[in-house]
Amino acid sequence: MADEVSSRARRDRRRRQYLSLGLGELAAAAVFVGVALWHGAPLDTGGRLAVLGAVGPLAVVLVAAGTYWLLARRWVGVGVMPLGLARAYLALGVLAVILLAAGLAAVVAGAPSLAWLVLLLLVWAFGVVEVVNYALRRLAFPAHRWVAGVAQGRVPQLAADVRAALIARS
């Protein structure tokens, strides 16, 4: 009985954490898109495409990540990710890489000035970091243990959930 209670408490704690992570990623996407729309509006077409090239892939990754955390609340501690969703996230990973490649080309070709180029490359690089953080290697740790956390080489939760879903259904 005590194990069941502690298991339920662990699941509830993780569900609250996933809610916070999901809403945080969605809020970050909204902020990036809002700032891009506000500051990119006065630019010419090439400049706006450069902004889209930097912010678009990042927004896709952040929205996908936020949605993942919110959906994962359903199976955390009781099951595995649905197979169709796992396959969709594999496809989203491929799409993210394609968008990042196209986005880099748009940034380099259309940035209206050196300052814009540097800013947009930083935003684009953040998109790359987010893809790595969700698909390849966990990079998100508290600042005081970031180096030790990254050095552990942990598999990101999204990647682990996708893998578990694919293995469970094979």
Side-chain angles (χ1 to χ4, degrees), residues 97-108:
V97 170
I98 292 167
L99 290 173
L100 283 163
L104 179 60
V107 166
V108 170

Side-chain angles (χ1 to χ4, degrees), residues 10-138:
R10 255 190 324 274
R11 180 172 194 266
D12 289 346
R13 187 176 63 250
R14 287 183 71 191
R15 290 186 81 236
R16 284 190 303 275
Q17 180 185 22
Y18 284 15
L19 177 64
S20 176
L21 289 166
L23 295 176
E25 295 289 33
L26 294 175
V31 168
F32 274 101
V33 169
V35 169
L37 289 172
W38 181 265
H39 290 288
L43 299 176
D44 65 8
T45 302
R48 286 193 302 273
L49 286 174
V51 171
L52 177 63
V55 176
L58 174 60
V60 168
V61 171
L62 291 173
V63 168
T67 303
Y68 158 74
W69 289 118
L70 296 177
L71 291 173
R73 298 176 76 238
R74 295 180 182 173
W75 65 79
V76 64
V78 295
V80 296
M81 174 187 259
L83 181 59
L85 191 58
R87 289 181 176 151
Y89 271 92
L90 283 174
L92 277 170
V94 171
L95 176 64
V97 170
I98 292 167
L99 290 173
L100 283 163
L104 179 60
V107 166
V108 170
S113 69
L114 181 59
W116 271 102
L117 178 63
V118 170
L119 176 65
L120 295 176
L121 286 174
L122 288 171
V123 172
W124 177 86
F126 184 55
V128 172
V129 168
E130 284 293 291
V131 168
V132 170
N133 183 54
Y134 278 103
L136 302 173
R137 185 179 189 138
R138 183 174 168 200

